């Protein structure tokens, strides 16, 4: 199905995808954005519900508001690390300015009503709509990497703040704020790994055979 070169390219994108916090203001070509969104839209979804929407935010005023919401929550979360001085410093060093720097921030949402009340597969596992949206986000992230773009997932915010800023209906779930743009600082390793926040766990310790706990 794929040549050796094509297969290697897929693994290269997977292993080199990074969560980036620093962006250039360089505009992104419209066809590139379209390619990335098409990749997201071709993600698998349970019952083919396709629960996602994409809000493209380019307004400086709106990005400022989103950055304010993220900074407010980051400061609130820092309290949890007060007893671990080094970790608190590292946490407060995590940038949210990418929301203002990047030319575009994409809010990916999930509509739990899409497809009606009896979406195939969702009766047994209700959260499959969120899981399907996560697949779309991963497709988008890998496509951005393949296009030479950087992306950062900002997870510090209250959902109601984002709903208010972007005028999202109450039943729609804002799953992710993703800043996207070009960068001069694409890291060799994940930022949190480089900051010694956490190390990549050994795959061998995460694999069980036939039942939980059996290596």
């Amino acid at each position: 199905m794929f040549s050796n070169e094509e297969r290697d390219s897929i693994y290269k994108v997977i292993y080199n995808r990074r969560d980036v916090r620093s962006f250039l203001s360089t505009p992104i070509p419209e066809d590139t954005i379209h390619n990335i969104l098409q990749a997201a839209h071709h993600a698998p979804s349970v019952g083919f519900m396709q629960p996602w929407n994409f809000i493209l935010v380019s307004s400086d005023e709106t990005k400022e508001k989103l950055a304010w919401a993220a900074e407010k929550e980051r400061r609130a979360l820092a309290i949890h690390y007060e007893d671990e001085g080094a970790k608190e410093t590292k946490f407060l060093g995590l940038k949210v300015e990418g929301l203002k720097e990047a030319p575009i921030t994409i809010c990916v949402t999930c509509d739990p009503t899409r497809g009606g009340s009896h979406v195939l597969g969702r009766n047994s596992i209700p959260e499959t709509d969120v899981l399907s949206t996560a697949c779309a986000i991963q497709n988008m992230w890998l496509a951005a990497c393949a296009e030479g773009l950087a992306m950062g997932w900002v997870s510090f915010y209250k959902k109601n703040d984002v709903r208010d800023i972007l005028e999202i209906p109450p039943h729609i779930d804002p799953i992710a704020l993703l800043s996207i743009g070009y960068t001069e600082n694409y890291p060799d390793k994940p930022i949190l790994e480089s900051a010694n926040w956490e190390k990549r766990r050994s795959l061998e310790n995460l694999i069980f055979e036939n039942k939980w706990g059996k290596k």
Side-chain angles (χ1 to χ4, degrees):
M1 185 176 182
F2 296 106
S3 68
N4 290 340
E5 291 78 9
E6 289 169 334
R7 181 201 62 207
D8 291 344
S9 294
I10 292 171
Y11 283 110
K12 182 178 180 179
V13 168
I14 291 171
Y15 292 141
N16 285 279
R17 181 210 56 79
R18 296 288 180 262
D19 188 13
V20 174
R21 300 293 174 188
S22 178
F23 300 91
L24 301 172
S25 59
T26 307
I28 305 170
E30 286 189 14
D31 59 340
T32 301
I33 290 293
H34 185 263
N35 290 343
I36 292 168
L37 294 177
Q38 280 283 19
H41 188 49
H42 279 74
S45 61
V46 174
F48 207 43
M49 69 177 86
Q50 306 162 72
W52 45 72
N53 280 86
F54 310 99
I55 303 175
L56 307 185
V57 180
S58 58
S59 160
D60 289 339
E61 180 182 358
T62 305
K63 288 190 288 185
E64 286 278 355
K65 291 178 179 178
L66 292 173
W68 166 83
E71 177 62 18
K72 181 185 70 169
E73 187 63 11
R74 185 177 71 119
R75 292 289 173 180
L77 288 171
I79 295 172
H80 297 289
Y81 303 108
E82 283 184 341
D83 295 333
E84 306 174 69
K87 212 162 193 180
E88 181 188 20
T89 300
K90 292 173 185 175
F91 179 79
L92 288 173
L94 296 176
K95 290 182 59 177
V96 298
E97 287 86 348
L99 282 167
K100 294 186 289 186
E101 294 176 352
I104 295 177
T105 288
I106 303 174
C107 179
V108 184
T109 65
C110 175
D111 183 352
T113 67
R114 189 161 295 163
S117 302
H118 302 288
V119 173
L120 180 67
R122 193 162 61 186
N123 286 343
S124 301
I125 307 175
E127 61 271 23
T128 51
D129 51 3
V130 174
L131 302 179
S132 298
T133 303
C135 289
I137 292 168
Q138 182 70 340
N139 269 20
M140 183 192 302
W141 215 336
L142 294 175
C145 181
E147 293 280 1
L149 287 162
M151 184 175 281
W153 186 331
V154 178
S155 55
F156 311 139
Y157 60 84
K158 294 292 188 187
K159 290 186 177 182
N160 281 339
D161 285 341
V162 173
R163 283 192 182 98
D164 290 344
I165 293 168
L166 300 181
E167 300 182 6
I168 298 171
H171 72 285
I172 301 295
D173 194 0
I175 299 295
L177 287 178
L178 302 161
S179 297
I180 182 170
Y182 298 99
T183 186
E184 292 180 327
N185 301 304
Y186 201 89
D188 294 329
K189 296 193 298 184
I191 292 173
L192 293 182
E193 183 179 0
S194 297
N196 294 318
W197 183 276
E198 184 60 89
K199 294 181 179 179
R200 189 176 299 281
R201 303 177 194 278
S202 168
L203 175 61
E204 288 71 21
N205 292 331
L206 304 176
I207 301 173
F208 301 139
E209 184 177 4
N210 293 322
K211 61 182 180 181
W212 182 270
K214 183 179 179 183
K215 294 291 184 69

